Every structure is written in C-alpha cells, then in structure tokens.
Amino acid sequence: METVRNMLKPKVEPQKLLREWQRRLRREGLNVDRQIRDIEREEKNVQKAIKEAAKRNDMSSAKSLAKELIRSRRTVNRLHENKAQLNSISMHLGESVAIARTVGHLSKSAEVMKIVNNLMKAPQLALTMQEFSKEMTMAGVIEEMVNDSVDSALDSEDIEEETEEEVEKVLTAIAGETAAQLPQAVRKERLKQPAQSVEDAEEESADDEEELEEIRARLAKVRS
C-alpha cells in the first residue's frame, strides 16, 4: 500500500523544492535578525534606566532591570543559535539535492531531521518548522516524527541563581562609577531587601515603577 501511495504522489524536481525551502529559510533568518535588532534596541533603554536607578540609589529597581537584561541577552544568544541552525538546514538541503542528481531522488537526512526537531521547540519558529517537517516528510528528506514537547523555559529554574551572580557584573558594567560609589553594605542591603520593603519603595516612587513596567513590557514583547 505504501508503494502504491508513493507511486501516486506527484513528483517535484529536487532543485525546485530546494529553491523554495531555501527562500523560506532565508526569510525566517531575516525575521530572526529583525527580532535580535529589536531586542538590542530595547536593551539600550534598559541600560539607561539602570544608570538612572543607580544614581538615585534605587538598587532594587536596578537589580530587577539587570535581570531583565540578562534574560534578553540569553534570548539573543538563542536567536543567534536558531539563525545558525536555519543556515545549517539550507546547507544540508543543498548537499541532498547534489546527491539527488545522481540517485534521482531526495535522500533522508538524519541531520536535517535533528535540526528541524530542535527548531520546533523555538517559539518563534515552531509553526514554520512544523510546516517544513510535513513537507520534508512527504519529499522523503526526513522521517515522520513526533515533536517531544519540551518546556521552553528549561533554564528558568536556575535563572535566579545565575542572576544573583551576574547582577553585580551587569550593574558594574552598565552603571559604572555610579553604582561603584555606593557603599558596599548599602548595595547589598538594597539588593537583599524583603518584599515588603520593595512594595513600600514602589508606593513612594509610583512614577518610576510605572516607567519600569513599561520597559519590562516592551522587552517581553520583543522577546516573544
């Protein structure tokens, strides 16, 4: 029965399939580049807000913004990895077509299957990769696969630990002398103050907190 279905499938030239797939891969790559630029543009606003928070000795807000900045940088790193994987798919497809010229049909590629499966876990590329998966399965490039749902926030469990270590570096690098001029005891006290103290501070500086929320919202939007 499988043989009959394969015989009934309309045959598409491998070169034509490759050109179409590579065109779409380039388009997705451009979308990834655009998102990276959007995130980096918003990061400049965050860096400015961190400096301003440090100037007014509001290290609680500076710490919160530093965490947002770290999350954004991680997102950018993942996006760069996604872009590299898109390019890798295009390269492997080119190799498959070169082989097809000799054997007369597209051959299965375990590497393409692995990369497509990985990219199906990236929120920004999930739908596109699902479409690619279906088309490549029909073309015989990859086998039909079931995407194992993996929590997109795998690293969320350790973000607090890592952030506590990284936040000082971020504050020093961005706030520079402003943060460094604060007494060490005051900085540590502000960074570790309890939730109630943070809430009281927020009530006293409602305008500042509203601005911080706007920054967080913009960052969340460009990261999604």
Side-chain angles (χ1 to χ4, degrees), residues 204-223:
E204 295 174 1
S205 56
D207 292 340
D208 291 338
E209 181 58 29
E210 183 177 350
E211 182 181 353
L212 295 181
E213 286 301 324
E214 290 178 358
I215 292 173
R216 295 189 188 102
R218 289 199 301 268
L219 268 178
K221 182 177 180 180
V222 295
R223 286 201 303 256

Side-chain angles (χ1 to χ4, degrees), residues 196-210:
Q196 183 58 44
S197 297
V198 175
E199 293 173 0
D200 292 342
E202 290 173 350
E203 292 176 1
E204 295 174 1
S205 56
D207 292 340
D208 291 338
E209 181 58 29
E210 183 177 350

Side-chain angles (χ1 to χ4, degrees), residues 116-122 126 130 133 144-150:
V116 170
N117 195 36
N118 284 338
L119 288 175
M120 285 174 69
K121 299 168 188 175
Q130 287 174 11
S133 176
E144 186 173 1
M145 55 188 175
V146 177
N147 182 35
D148 297 327
S149 298
V150 176

Side-chain angles (χ1 to χ4, degrees), residues 59 168 171-172 179-180 182-191:
M59 298 310 294
E168 285 287 336
L171 291 176
T172 300
L182 294 175
Q184 185 69 11
V186 173
R187 296 179 69 204
K188 288 186 177 180
E189 179 65 25
R190 287 184 177 274
L191 285 172

Side-chain angles (χ1 to χ4, degrees), residues 74-125:
R74 288 179 175 179
T75 299
V76 168
N77 288 338
R78 284 195 291 267
L79 288 172
H80 279 300
E81 292 174 1
N82 292 344
K83 175 69 179 298
Q85 289 178 319
L86 289 171
N87 292 336
S88 182
I89 291 176
S90 183
M91 180 190 70
H92 284 295
L93 288 175
E95 294 173 353
S96 295
V97 170
I99 296 174
R101 292 193 184 101
T102 302
V103 300
H105 60 82
L106 288 169
S107 302
K108 287 183 171 59
S109 172
E111 188 63 26
V112 170
M113 180 175 176
K114 177 182 177 182
I115 299 173
V116 170
N117 195 36
N118 284 338
L119 288 175
M120 285 174 69
K121 299 168 188 175
Q124 299 86 353
L125 296 169

